[in-house]
Amino acid sequence: MTAASMIPLEKTPENGFVNDVPEFEVDVYTGTNPDRELAGTGVFSSEDGYVTDRNVVERRWAATLEADGVTVRSGSPVTKSKFKSLIDRHDLVVDATGQPSLTSKVAGSTDEYSGYMTALNTDVQGDFSDIFPNTRMILENYAGYAWVFPKSPGRANVGIGWAQLDPPTDHMEAFKQACERNGWPVPSREQTNIAIIPQGPSLNPSRMYVPEFNVVRVGDAAGIANRFSGKGISQAVHSAYIMAEYAANGRLAEYPAALHKTMRPEYLLAHVVRGVLESNRPYLLGEILAAVSGLDVEDADRAPKHVLFRLLRHPIVFARLLSTPSILQRVYDAYTNDWEYRIQKSS
């Protein structure tokens, strides 16, 4: 994750923070064929980024909550009937069950989410000494990317993800081929996790709070993951902090608009970069990455003004970007909140 300070744990391996990442490396290739060319690179510093053992982080965080008197239960699946029971028995239920959320399943409205990405990943053993302690993302001229996030010189999380519009015929086979061409250990199907990631914003903000159910949604359930990088942990924690603040002040109805306001710049930036990726212009994408190289990864991912300032120092690249009609349309759509859903005027 790239905003590790948001998690109230000491950043130690015992707490699951196994690699204090100094830089995120991004390579852009012209395709997946053996004769592909390197179209550009970018290197982004990381002041507050860690590669984690997520299950360890979650267990340690749960232990600190239990020490503060919070009851934490694990290994207890929540069915739709149990969810209804929780709604009946509590003043507020926080839904962090992913996309589509349990709230939508209970309401019969799973189609209210507009889009998603599919990602496969696993931890593998191998020689990652040429990358560690950095991480690497590989863009290969499809709507998605592959990654290797080393946890040590001999262990890493490797994965690959695709946007909904550009899926492979066989996800597992495509994952194996990506590992082979990038020189990473090839995982087995049994080792591999598969996840559905929101193409944020993928849920109408007015639906983040569902007062008739006493339910509020955070994280992936709120549809706020980054639609370019797929990153969602920092966003989930961010949404939870905002939700807690408004709930504590008795202003929960204002939470959806407040969260959306903080997320809009990120939505815009991710939408534009995804547009370059989908336009099959790897050299332009490589030039853009080179132009913004050196930013902190959190700024490069979530702060359009920092990216814009860097691009303005490269007027030719900036002009090429704005000469693409589809990119201008994306900028307009983002500024007018015209996503795959429609925001109700009353929200």
Side-chain angles (χ1 to χ4, degrees):
M1 66 176 303
T2 59
S5 60
M6 297 174 69
I7 295 183
L9 292 173
E10 186 179 357
K11 306 306 180 288
T12 64
E14 292 75 20
N15 285 337
F17 297 88
V18 294
N19 178 14
D20 185 357
V21 181
E23 292 180 332
F24 281 69
E25 304 172 3
V26 183
D27 291 340
V28 181
Y29 286 92
T30 55
T32 59
N33 296 324
D35 60 348
R36 66 181 183 172
E37 297 179 359
L38 182 65
T41 62
V43 179
F44 303 92
S45 60
S46 178
E47 183 177 340
D48 195 22
Y50 280 83
V51 177
T52 68
D53 280 327
R54 180 174 174 176
N55 57 342
V56 177
V57 173
E58 291 175 346
R59 286 198 300 267
R60 298 290 289 185
W61 199 351
T64 64
L65 291 172
E66 288 182 310
D68 289 337
V70 178
T71 300
V72 179
R73 297 177 183 173
S74 61
S76 302
V78 179
T79 62
K80 287 196 287 186
S81 60
K82 189 171 184 178
F83 191 68
K84 291 178 181 178
S85 175
L86 290 172
I87 291 171
D88 292 337
R89 293 179 4 238
H90 295 85
D91 293 331
L92 180 65
V93 174
V94 179
D95 188 341
T97 58
Q99 176 178 317
S101 64
L102 261 175
T103 301
S104 297
K105 293 175 182 178
V106 169
S109 59
T110 56
D111 60 349
E112 65 183 327
Y113 292 92
S114 61
Y116 61 87
M117 297 171 278
T118 304
L120 280 66
N121 78 95
T122 186
D123 274 18
V124 294
Q125 303 290 328
D127 182 6
F128 300 101
S129 57
D130 62 324
I131 303 173
F132 182 85
N134 290 349
T135 69
R136 184 169 296 159
M137 295 170 54
I138 308 292
L139 306 177
E140 302 171 300
N141 207 25
Y142 56 84
Y145 65 91
W147 70 82
V148 54
F149 294 161
K151 300 184 174 185
S152 73
R155 181 169 71 102
N157 180 274
V158 297
I160 190 170
W162 301 268
Q164 185 181 2
L165 61 85
D166 195 16
T169 303
D170 185 325
H171 289 78
M172 190 65 210
E173 182 59 29
F175 185 20
K176 290 180 178 179
Q177 290 176 7
C179 290
E180 288 172 350
R181 66 177 171 265
N182 290 301
W184 307 332
V186 178
S188 67
R189 188 178 297 271
E190 293 71 28
Q191 290 176 284
T192 302
N193 306 306
I194 185 167
I196 300 300
I197 302 171
Q199 182 176 285
S202 63
L203 178 70
N204 188 323
S206 68
R207 292 289 295 159
M208 291 180 187
Y209 176 45
V210 189
E212 64 268 27
F213 283 177
N214 302 320
V215 167
V216 63
R217 299 188 243 206
V218 298
D220 284 2
I224 61 173
N226 188 290
R227 70 168 50 203
F228 170 64
S229 68
K231 190 174 71 176
I233 295 178
S234 299
Q235 288 81 346
V237 177
H238 172 72
S239 65
Y241 275 120
I242 293 178
M243 180 278 299
E245 177 185 351
Y246 279 86
N249 292 329
R251 299 163 55 196
L252 200 52
E254 299 174 39
Y255 156 72
L259 175 61
H260 186 68
K261 182 178 180 180
T262 67
M263 295 297 299
R264 278 189 68 189
E266 177 177 347
Y267 294 154
L268 184 153
L269 181 58
H271 196 37
V272 170
V273 178
R274 257 281 294 274
V276 180
L277 189 64
E278 293 173 10
S279 68
N280 297 316
R281 300 176 70 186
Y283 287 105
L284 175 58
L285 183 57
E287 290 173 352
I288 292 171
L289 286 174
V292 301
S293 185
L295 287 175
D296 188 273
V297 66
E298 191 75 350
D299 289 336
D301 208 19
R302 306 189 67 182
K305 66 178 182 180
H306 295 292
V307 174
L308 178 60
F309 291 156
R310 287 296 182 97
L311 286 175
L312 289 174
R313 299 178 191 172
H314 300 78
I316 295 177
V317 176
F318 189 60
R320 289 185 62 198
L321 175 64
L322 293 185
S323 68
T324 307
S326 61
I327 297 301
L328 292 176
Q329 183 64 50
R330 283 172 179 263
V331 172
Y332 177 79
D333 290 345
Y335 269 113
T336 57
N337 269 326
D338 187 5
W339 301 99
E340 288 83 357
Y341 63 84
R342 298 283 179 176
I343 295 181
Q344 298 173 5
K345 298 301 182 182
S346 60
S347 65

